[in-house]
Amino acid sequence: PVFDTEATKTTGLASRLLSERQRPRADLFWSSECFRTMELARAGVLAPMSGEPFDSWMSDRPGRWRDEAGTWFAFAPRARVLVRRSRGKDDAPGPTTWEELVDPEWSGRLAMADPRFGTTSGHLGAMDAYWTALGDPDRYERWVDGLARNDVKVLTTGNAGVVEAVAAGEYDLGMTDTDDVWAALERGFDVELIYPRHADLDQAAGGTLLIPNTVARVAGGPNPDGALAFAEWLMSPEVERLLAESSSHNIPLRTDPGPWAVPDPLGVDLLEAARLMPGAIRRLRDRLQQ
């Protein structure tokens, strides 16, 4: 197996698969997020996985938990959240929406991971896609401007580094994922997570972004039968249970999520989010550099 790094996350692996597509060395791409997998599918790097049990998995949810052509399948998502130091009884509850992060009270108090990599970049694309679908295409631009005014700090240590910086008291809030918060709690860090919404309470499906694991077969890989067998195992309820019971506490899709259920998941087109992601990243980075 070839693993990613905390700095470049799955972006580095996706770039490697693109560079090797004329002579693939890999058979299977197991990604802890979905957006680079979708980019690879568009680039023709992936091959369909068909037949049972692939045809029946999430057959009613093409475009969200599986590719319509069967080149990738989703399982065991994480949630996109805020982390903060555990509050005392007299502390304010913190932001309830992502847009509250642009309020002046959070100026200089917010950290995020490098938006070019990992789930941070996918989240930016999802925000742009969701707010545009609500009929307000300039909403993401206003949010980006607000982050720049509030001097958001971009950390190169990934989402885990964001959690550690908040736990150390360097920042009051951090944009991260549930798995990094759960792991920090297991290590004894004095932090808690917040599930901010992307829309007001009266907007259905305006809550928390879920970012699934994805599995995909590499086109032309040397061991296609082994790739399909391993993919079938990854997609099983057993693996989702193992991931839910691990320190990352991923959220099962095929069985009852139990205590890891997320309130009101965000109803966003993940394919559209992946399409808008490069532009969303560029607009944020340009604004912060200005």
Side-chain angles (χ1 to χ4, degrees):
V2 177
F3 298 101
D4 65 6
T5 66
E6 185 61 34
T8 62
K9 307 303 292 183
T10 54
T11 308
L13 293 181
S15 297
R16 177 169 174 169
L17 290 171
L18 281 167
S19 69
E20 294 177 355
R21 62 179 156 182
Q22 299 304 318
R23 297 185 65 182
R25 298 179 62 190
D27 298 297
L28 200 75
F29 183 43
W30 172 9
S31 174
S32 61
E33 50 104 335
C34 57
F35 303 105
R36 266 77 193 184
T37 306
M38 294 172 178
E39 288 184 325
L40 291 172
R42 286 202 304 270
V45 175
L46 307 178
M49 295 184 287
S50 59
E52 289 302 324
F54 298 100
D55 292 346
S56 60
W57 275 329
M58 301 296 177
S59 58
D60 60 332
R61 301 298 294 276
R64 182 161 176 79
W65 302 131
R66 59 167 290 170
D67 176 32
E68 193 167 7
T71 59
W72 58 264
F73 293 84
F75 62 102
R78 297 170 287 165
R80 190 71 180 157
V81 295
L82 288 173
V83 62
R84 61 172 288 172
R85 286 178 67 97
S86 297
R87 63 190 179 101
K89 62 179 181 179
D90 297 325
D91 292 339
T96 58
T97 69
W98 290 98
E99 289 176 284
E100 289 178 50
L101 298 180
V102 305
D103 292 347
E105 70 171 298
W106 302 113
S107 180
R109 301 167 62 188
L110 173 68
M112 66 184 297
D114 191 325
R116 294 174 296 172
F117 310 114
T119 53
T120 302
S121 52
H123 188 198
L124 298 179
M127 286 179 168
D128 196 5
Y130 180 72
W131 289 334
T132 298
L134 289 184
D136 192 352
D138 297 326
R139 196 164 173 175
Y140 176 76
E141 203 72 41
R142 295 195 299 270
W143 186 75
V144 164
D145 287 342
L147 287 187
R149 286 195 306 271
N150 273 354
D151 192 25
V152 61
K153 302 300 181 183
V154 176
L155 307 183
T156 60
T157 50
N159 290 317
V162 168
V163 176
E164 292 176 1
V166 170
E170 298 174 28
Y171 306 99
D172 293 327
L173 288 174
M175 301 169 61
T176 188
D177 301 322
T178 45
D179 63 313
D180 293 297
V181 182
W182 298 134
L185 288 169
E186 192 170 271
R187 293 165 59 190
F189 288 12
D190 188 23
V191 295
E192 62 185 17
L193 59 80
I194 301 172
Y195 293 99
R197 295 179 57 81
H198 293 77
D200 296 332
L201 283 171
D202 59 356
Q203 179 69 47
T208 300
L209 174 64
L210 296 182
I211 301 178
N213 275 265
T214 47
V215 59
R217 183 164 68 92
V218 178
N223 300 291
D225 292 339
L228 288 173
F230 190 54
E232 182 177 341
W233 178 71
L234 283 179
M235 294 286 293
S236 68
E238 174 194 3
V239 168
E240 287 202 317
R241 177 184 59 79
L242 291 170
L243 290 172
E245 293 173 353
S246 74
S247 60
S248 64
H249 299 310
N250 292 66
I251 304 156
L253 287 179
R254 290 168 181 76
T255 58
D256 183 359
W260 316 118
V262 168
D264 192 20
L266 181 67
V268 63
D269 185 336
L270 295 177
L271 287 169
E272 180 66 3
R275 187 185 71 82
L276 295 177
M277 179 177 67
I281 297 168
R282 183 178 60 254
R283 287 147 67 191
L284 175 61
R285 295 188 72 226
D286 289 348
R287 188 66 184 89
L288 294 181
Q289 289 171 357
Q290 292 170 10

